[in-house]
Amino acid sequence: MSLGSPGNPAQLNAEARWDAFDPVAYVRKNYRTVLPVDAEIISIVRAHFSDHFRGFPGLRVRGIDVGAGANLYPTFAMLPWCDEITLLDRSTPNLHYLKQQFDRHDHGWDAFWRELCLDDAYATMHGGPWQRFGDVARVEQGDIFALVDRPEQWQLGTMFFVAESLSTSYERFRKGVECFLRSLTPGAPFAAAFMEHSEGYWVGETPFPACDVSESDIRDSIKGYAERLRIYRVGEPGEVRPGYTSMILACGFRRAGNSRMALPAGRSDL
């Protein structure tokens, strides 16, 4: 049964069992090896970022990975250009996993770094990923919707499989995308990935909600806040798990304007 089926009460972000999220099981199931879809996403994102920053040699920026969870390759994709990267996540187990990576990292992520190193911006980075990760990454507990109070704070951003994977509410999906994009400065490059028509997902023995969104829903949620937006369909249906039709990758730049954010009246932890 879809966790977001029409007629079912919406399951909101604050109601999901985030502290029961098992990052070790999640990594084992999803990132034990570099799947073809991972390689495709990495190739697009590394070109998007490196092509942009090639025009600004020596520029150093602040980055953010929203809903970092137990996935390091979005952060790795930002490493060559960042003096600071915020790894934002709500789940206590995910935060613990991320903090562990500073001292005893999972070597499985090295294969993802090698995919990035097909571009010289990564291959020539002094010290490789782990030294730079230790120097610039900052793990922070926080909710995506709290970014409403932090507009235009970061000059580079990623958000992978977050906005559609935190509740069954379409309104919350759109607000999550908005909060992410408005947290970026005008002109900031970004990459965001989504599961199209996700029916929800399991981590270990625990189910988590998802919002059923289409490619057009994803495009519509982004286009008002982005310019030079490109949308890619990547991977095959069910390549990672059952219950979705495609992965959607959106790459673009934060549009100037639309600086003020306001959540609807009522609860702020939806």
Side-chain angles (χ1 to χ4, degrees):
M1 180 183 68
S2 168
L3 294 175
S5 299
N8 288 346
Q11 183 179 1
L12 302 177
N13 188 33
E15 298 168 345
R17 298 174 58 196
W18 297 116
D19 284 343
F21 195 98
D22 184 343
V24 174
Y26 183 79
V27 170
R28 187 182 301 120
K29 182 176 182 179
N30 294 285
Y31 299 114
R32 186 175 66 253
T33 60
V34 181
L35 297 174
V37 67
D38 295 317
E40 186 176 359
I41 289 172
I42 288 170
S43 69
I44 296 168
V45 174
R46 75 176 179 235
H48 177 52
F49 289 165
S50 62
D51 287 351
H52 171 74
F53 285 105
R54 195 173 292 119
F56 303 94
L59 180 66
R60 311 300 295 176
V61 301
R62 297 175 67 221
I64 185 170
D65 184 22
V66 175
N71 179 6
L72 291 188
Y73 80 72
T75 295
F76 278 10
M78 295 187 281
L79 283 177
W81 304 285
C82 289
D83 282 333
E84 179 183 318
I85 302 177
T86 300
L87 279 63
L88 187 74
D89 203 273
R90 177 172 183 150
S91 162
T92 299
N94 281 346
L95 296 166
H96 181 65
Y97 175 86
L98 291 169
K99 290 175 181 177
Q100 282 184 322
Q101 303 307 302
F102 290 96
D103 297 319
R104 45 189 180 92
H105 55 264
D106 287 351
H107 289 285
W109 296 112
D110 293 336
F112 292 83
W113 178 252
R114 288 193 291 272
E115 292 289 330
L116 288 164
C117 283
L118 296 177
D119 186 291
D120 283 348
Y122 301 91
T124 60
M125 195 180 76
H126 178 72
W130 297 112
Q131 180 178 322
R132 180 68 64 83
F133 180 83
D135 289 342
V136 306
R138 302 291 181 267
V139 177
E140 179 181 331
Q141 186 163 29
D143 190 292
I144 186 174
F145 300 113
L147 292 175
V148 67
D149 297 321
R150 302 167 76 178
E152 300 185 3
Q153 295 293 301
W154 291 276
Q155 296 83 43
L156 179 61
T158 54
M159 181 180 69
F160 277 43
F161 312 115
V162 175
E164 81 288 10
S165 301
L166 50 78
S167 80
T168 62
S169 166
Y170 180 67
E171 177 188 356
R172 295 294 88 195
F173 160 75
R174 289 187 65 94
K175 185 54 65 175
V177 172
E178 178 185 352
C179 286
F180 165 61
L181 291 171
R182 288 186 185 246
S183 75
L184 305 177
T185 58
F190 68 84
F194 306 87
M195 290 281 193
E196 182 189 52
H197 295 308
S198 177
E199 297 178 354
Y201 58 107
W202 292 75
V203 179
E205 301 299 318
T206 305
F208 289 91
C211 181
D212 181 352
V213 293
S214 66
E215 179 180 340
S216 61
D217 293 330
I218 293 164
R219 184 186 298 274
D220 288 347
S221 72
I222 296 172
K223 65 182 182 182
Y225 307 97
E227 58 189 14
R228 290 177 282 165
L229 177 63
R230 300 191 69 176
I231 302 290
Y232 305 86
R233 298 184 70 86
V234 292
E236 300 296 330
E239 181 175 345
V240 175
R241 60 168 171 79
Y244 71 96
T245 56
S246 183
M247 292 188 190
I248 306 294
L249 178 65
C251 293
F253 299 84
R254 172 71 167 92
R255 176 178 291 173
N258 297 321
S259 300
R260 298 181 59 193
M261 286 191 285
L263 289 173
R267 293 169 54 188
S268 62
D269 62 344
L270 299 177

